[in-house]
Amino acid sequence: MKLVLAPMEGVVDFKMRQLLTDIGGFDLCVTEFVRVVDACLPDKVFNRYCPELQNNGLTRAGTPVRIQLLGQVAHALAENAVKVIELGSHGVDLNFGCPAKTVNKSKGGAVLLKDPEHMYVIIKAVRDAVPSEHQVSAKIRLGFDDDSNSQEIVDAVVSAGANSIAIHARTKRDGYNPPAYWEKIPPLIKDKDIAVVANGEIWQVEDALLCQQRSGCTDLMLGRGALSHPDLARKIKAHVNGEQDASLQWEHILHHLINSAIHHDPAKDEKYFASRTKQWLGYLKRQYSQADTLFDEIRRLKIKEDVAEVLKKYAIAP
């Protein structure tokens, strides 16, 4: 069983990848998408999105990181894919799932689900360009406005030679509204020679097990569930392996936050840590009732040291 940390623009960056993989359970991380227009991007762009490239493409805990590219020009995506592999990315991922209007207007992300033939051209160009020993993966949704061409989408990914496909079991129109339609995955992948990762609405260990059952997929991708439940990946792994795993208590989560790169970043201004902490509390409140109380306590604080002092009152090392 493999657990993948999902790419989430503006949320799961280098710092969050470090924090969550330090807690454990993940086998792979995928970066926020790097937008490709029609040219090869300079090294500094990829290093900014994926500082792990300076550590052989691994997080501090040793979890491999894969750079995700988004765009519509096949030759440009292929050229950049070769570069990220050379820089140390553990494979390359192609984004066909982003629902953002600004992305879709520029013919990137989920809008390409309307044109499986174009998807095929992109994936094949990247697969042909990247050395065969390196993985090429694609992240998709079930469709754009509906799922009427789901099979065409999956067939395009498979026939283009991708090694794996992550299926977010909703359409672009569905957005992030529950439920995720895991049961629609098995007919799409029947008799397909490709690794499949199921994604969507996995908030608890029970959700992971149900997703595996309904999707027929062993491997899962966690996004918002991992942000609200930081030790979810570790707990899923422990359950599957028949092991005991002590849950991280609220005080432990705060300890990880204080000792993460989110806190120690001299390149950011004084307000950065406060805003990131408040952002994460918005996710944590689903799992921890204390998050609402802490948010109220730091609501008006903007300086890093002030916020950190409040967190230190409650933090305990696990």
Side-chain angles (χ1 to χ4, degrees):
M1 178 189 194
K2 292 183 180 179
L3 294 179
V4 183
L5 179 58
M8 294 179 65
E9 186 186 12
V11 184
V12 183
D13 58 3
F14 161 71
K15 301 173 184 63
M16 188 58 73
R17 292 194 295 270
Q18 183 185 92
L19 192 157
L20 292 175
T21 57
D22 277 352
I23 293 172
F26 287 103
D27 300 286
L28 177 70
C29 300
V30 181
T31 70
E32 301 168 276
F33 67 75
V34 180
R35 189 191 297 268
V36 174
V37 182
D38 58 4
C40 193
L41 298 169
D43 295 3
K44 65 181 181 181
V45 172
F46 297 114
N47 281 295
R48 184 171 71 247
Y49 278 88
C50 186
E52 295 97 337
L53 293 174
Q54 305 305 311
N55 186 40
N56 299 313
L58 304 171
T59 67
R60 181 167 64 184
T63 306
V65 182
R66 179 173 299 169
I67 290 178
Q68 184 183 77
L69 303 178
L70 177 147
Q72 60 161 321
V73 181
H75 73 82
L77 287 163
E79 187 177 0
N80 282 277
V82 171
K83 171 170 274 194
V84 302
I85 294 296
E86 292 173 346
L87 289 173
S89 175
H90 291 261
V92 59
D93 189 67
L94 297 169
N95 182 314
F96 300 108
C98 179
K101 290 182 179 179
T102 53
V103 171
N104 293 169
K105 283 181 179 178
S106 61
K107 298 185 179 179
V111 73
L112 288 166
L113 298 171
K114 294 181 177 182
D115 190 355
E117 290 185 7
H118 192 173
M119 290 177 59
Y120 170 86
V121 170
I122 290 172
I123 298 167
K124 189 171 191 312
V126 172
R127 179 66 279 176
D128 288 348
V130 170
S132 60
E133 64 269 24
H134 296 283
Q135 295 273 310
V136 172
S137 56
K139 188 170 190 291
I140 69 166
R141 286 174 174 258
L142 294 175
F144 194 80
D145 292 317
D146 55 49
D147 61 3
S148 59
N149 69 337
S150 294
Q151 192 64 64
E152 294 176 65
I153 292 167
V154 172
D155 289 349
V157 176
V158 175
S159 58
N163 300 97
S164 65
I165 180 172
I167 303 178
H168 184 161
R170 286 184 273 230
T171 65
K172 185 271 182 188
R173 182 183 290 275
D174 293 329
Y176 296 97
N177 296 319
Y181 301 97
W182 304 320
E183 67 279 2
K184 295 188 176 184
I185 295 177
L188 302 175
I189 62 175
K190 184 178 180 181
D191 300 325
K192 303 295 183 187
D193 184 20
I194 190 170
V196 184
V197 182
N199 175 224
E201 290 300 304
I202 301 173
W203 300 96
Q204 303 288 345
V205 172
E206 294 75 16
D207 298 327
L209 301 178
L210 189 60
C211 178
Q212 286 184 314
Q213 177 188 336
R214 292 184 178 176
S215 69
C217 299
T218 301
D219 301 340
L220 306 175
M221 177 176 278
L222 309 180
R224 293 175 299 157
L227 292 169
S228 68
H229 195 162
D231 58 345
L232 178 57
R234 197 174 74 188
K235 292 178 76 67
I236 293 171
K237 282 285 184 67
H239 181 88
V240 170
N241 295 328
E243 301 168 350
Q244 292 293 320
D245 183 74
S247 297
L248 279 180
Q249 301 303 307
W250 174 244
E251 296 80 7
H252 302 157
I253 300 296
L254 298 182
H255 172 83
H256 279 287
L257 176 57
I258 292 170
N259 289 280
S260 72
I262 294 174
H263 180 56
H264 301 288
D265 193 344
K268 300 292 185 181
D269 66 31
E270 283 294 314
K271 297 179 181 179
Y272 177 78
F273 177 64
S275 61
R276 283 301 303 270
T277 300
K278 294 169 188 175
Q279 179 193 51
W280 197 24
L281 289 174
Y283 288 98
L284 287 170
K285 67 182 181 181
R286 183 182 179 111
Q287 181 70 20
Y288 298 93
S289 60
Q290 299 96 321
D292 268 331
T293 303
L294 181 58
F295 183 88
D296 288 340
E297 191 168 349
I298 68 170
R299 182 192 300 272
R300 293 178 177 82
L301 302 180
K302 297 180 180 180
I303 304 302
K304 177 177 69 175
E305 286 75 14
D306 294 341
V307 175
E309 282 304 310
V310 175
L311 300 186
K312 288 175 183 177
K313 288 195 304 183
Y314 307 110
I316 299 175

